[in-house]
Amino acid sequence: MAHSVQSTFKRTISLTAVLALLGGPLEALAQAPAQPLQPAPGGTAAPNANPAPANPGGQMLPVPPTASPSINPPPAPAPMASAGPASIADMAEGLLDAVVNISTSQSVKDDGAGPQPQIQEGSPFQEFFDDFFDGEGNQGGNQKVSSLGSGFVIDPSGYVVTNNHVIEGADDIEVIFPNGSKLKAKLVGTDTKTDLSVLKVEPKAPLKAVRFGNSRQMRIGDWVMAIGNPFGLGGSVTLGIISARGRNINAGPYDNFIQTDAAINKGNSGGPLFNMRGEVIGINTAIISPSGGSIGIGFAVPTELAENIVHQLIEFGETRRGWLGVRIQPVTDDIAASLGLDRARGALVSGVVNNGPIKNGEIKAGDVVLTFDGQPVNEMRDLPRIVAESPVDKQVDVVILRDGKEQTVKVTLGRLEDSVDADDDSDKPDAPDEQGQNNDPQATPPGDQPDQSGQADQADKGAASTFGMTLAVLDEEQRKSFNIAESVEGVVVTAVAPNSPAAQKGVKVGEVIVEVGQDFVEKPEDVLKRINALKAEGRRNAHVMVSDTAGNLRFVAMPLE
């Protein structure tokens, strides 16, 4: 045990000596004053700088405070480039005041809610049933029905453009402006063929108005903006592009709609479609929608069609359209081949209206109109629209194809009257030659052949068959039998076999073959000779002029192969 105590004492002495030796340098280090660091070359402090000598006085100095860590915020982000189209807020703000709501009301006959149950006279429920089924205070069985649409001011004096279907049949028309003010409107004029109407209000001060732009300059993909009154929510702005041009939706004879994906809903009808210069290039008219709401398929009447009509309605209260006085039909691929055209284009003239603008045979049945007043006629429906847009009494150049050669003729246009009788003689299309199978009850069914005496009579009269139709000379007996007009000449069709080429082209019993390959035919053998001649020339189709019993002409292309 003594040994253990002695060893412990020796270790304690040794440890004390070591601490005494180290105490001096540690005290000097603790009392050394803090010296500023000298910047290294380039402004950076030297990492291994030697400390300054200790304070010679040996006095204790306070420890310097610890430096706070510096905070370096990230640099400000650079301005971001626009990720979409430029804002249209400024443009919309300047146009909203010119777009109005159209409110209409009309009286309609109220037939009640249905048959009224038989209630015993004097029953306490009698008054309740009378009110429910007949309406309280119902006088004369009429009630007021209201509707809303859109429109826009085209002249500061108070002319407003909208759709005809927005105000059609209305007893009262009211124009509601963005500031909430209302003015009664009167109908200046309407055009049902383009679904356009012009209204007039009497403002106390000039109104904010917009101007028409040139829709012909618009291209597919151009930005457009619609403003209107969808579902009664006035002043709604939507943006989209032109999806297509020249759309035909069978809304009228002059369909040439702009298609857009800008949202158009119920109530937008009659509102403007603007380009990015704030000009009206279309009047929103229709949508395609299975649900009643916008699915991105809307249609607007282009201003290239609407502007002239609006000006005519303002000036005359009616439209004044040009009139050529011809009946036309499409140029199909078969007809184009039979006429020697490079492709199907133009409008085929199937007849000329008596006492119309064509007085000296400038245009004849069988001609193909290729260009009208410098504008190409790419398809049949182009011609009525171009003619209608032309001024009355204007002399125009018309390029036609006749006998395989192009020639230019001059025609002075008449005026198309907006009446039922005039419409029958307008530049309207005839039925196309592709009519499908012949369902005429007079057609000869398969297996039903004329008796021997009938064949003998036909042989005596020079009857012949071709393309599945039986032909005969048009004499007085045949004329009376089929009630054919005296002005019609040619070869009469006495029978048509079902599913034959003639039946598929819509040829019917009692009709008359007038020309084959642009040559007049008088006897059945003339038809056969002309067909054989066309085959020898290597033609694939025979161009055949057909007349109905009243003398209305059309053309069909009979296949020769």
Side-chain angles (χ1 to χ4, degrees), residues 169-397:
D171 299 322
D172 297 301
I173 306 173
E174 193 173 51
V175 175
I176 306 173
F177 293 86
N179 61 5
S181 62
K182 302 178 182 180
L183 291 175
K184 291 290 184 180
K186 68 175 183 179
L187 180 62
V188 175
T190 190
D191 180 43
T192 58
K193 293 181 179 179
T194 55
D195 196 16
L196 294 175
S197 292
V198 176
L199 310 176
K200 183 66 168 65
V201 296
E202 299 298 335
K204 295 181 180 180
L207 299 174
K208 171 69 176 180
V210 291
R211 64 181 183 273
F212 284 125
N214 188 353
S215 61
R216 290 185 176 90
Q217 296 178 352
M218 302 301 294
R219 301 185 301 163
I220 295 174
D222 281 344
W223 289 101
V224 288
M225 180 182 69
I227 303 180
N229 180 37
F231 303 106
L233 302 173
S236 295
V237 178
T238 56
L239 185 68
I241 64 168
I242 292 180
S243 305
R245 295 197 42 154
R247 285 298 195 206
N248 179 13
I249 60 174
N250 296 317
Y254 309 122
D255 281 13
N256 189 33
F257 287 98
I258 295 173
Q259 180 183 329
T260 178
D261 67 349
I264 298 174
N265 291 283
K266 292 180 178 179
N268 273 106
S269 291
L273 187 68
F274 293 100
N275 60 18
M276 290 296 100
R277 292 187 295 273
E279 301 168 330
V280 179
I281 51 92
I283 294 94
N284 300 320
T285 299
I287 62 172
I288 290 179
S289 173
S291 63
S294 174
I295 59 171
I297 305 178
F299 302 96
V301 179
T303 54
E304 62 197 77
L305 177 62
E307 184 175 9
N308 187 43
I309 292 172
V310 169
H311 290 160
Q312 288 183 9
L313 292 177
I314 291 175
E315 183 176 359
F316 308 113
E318 62 182 0
T319 57
R320 297 187 177 182
R321 292 187 170 95
W323 180 44
L324 186 58
V326 297
R327 286 184 291 271
I328 57 175
Q329 69 180 74
V331 178
T332 64
D333 291 336
D334 290 342
I335 289 178
S338 67
L339 293 173
L341 278 171
D342 55 344
R343 57 184 174 84
R345 58 190 175 100
L348 177 59
V349 178
S350 58
V352 178
V353 177
N354 293 329
N355 300 320
I358 310 298
K359 301 182 183 300
N360 300 313
E362 299 93 337
I363 298 178
K364 302 178 181 179
D367 292 343
V368 179
V369 179
L370 301 176
T371 303
F372 184 89
D373 198 19
Q375 300 186 55
V377 181
N378 295 316
E379 52 185 323
M380 179 198 67
R381 70 184 183 92
D382 291 341
L383 183 60
R385 175 178 52 81
I386 298 173
V387 173
E389 293 174 357
S390 303
V392 178
D393 296 330
K394 181 180 181 181
Q395 187 179 64
V396 297
D397 290 334

Side-chain angles (χ1 to χ4, degrees), residues 485-507:
E486 290 292 335
S487 60
V488 178
E489 299 292 340
V491 179
V492 66
V493 178
T494 59
V496 179
N499 301 321
S500 65
Q504 293 175 358
K505 297 295 183 179
V507 179

Side-chain angles (χ1 to χ4, degrees), residues 22-43:
L22 295 176
L26 289 176
E27 182 181 357
L29 181 62
Q31 294 179 359
Q35 298 292 332
L37 297 177
Q38 298 298 322

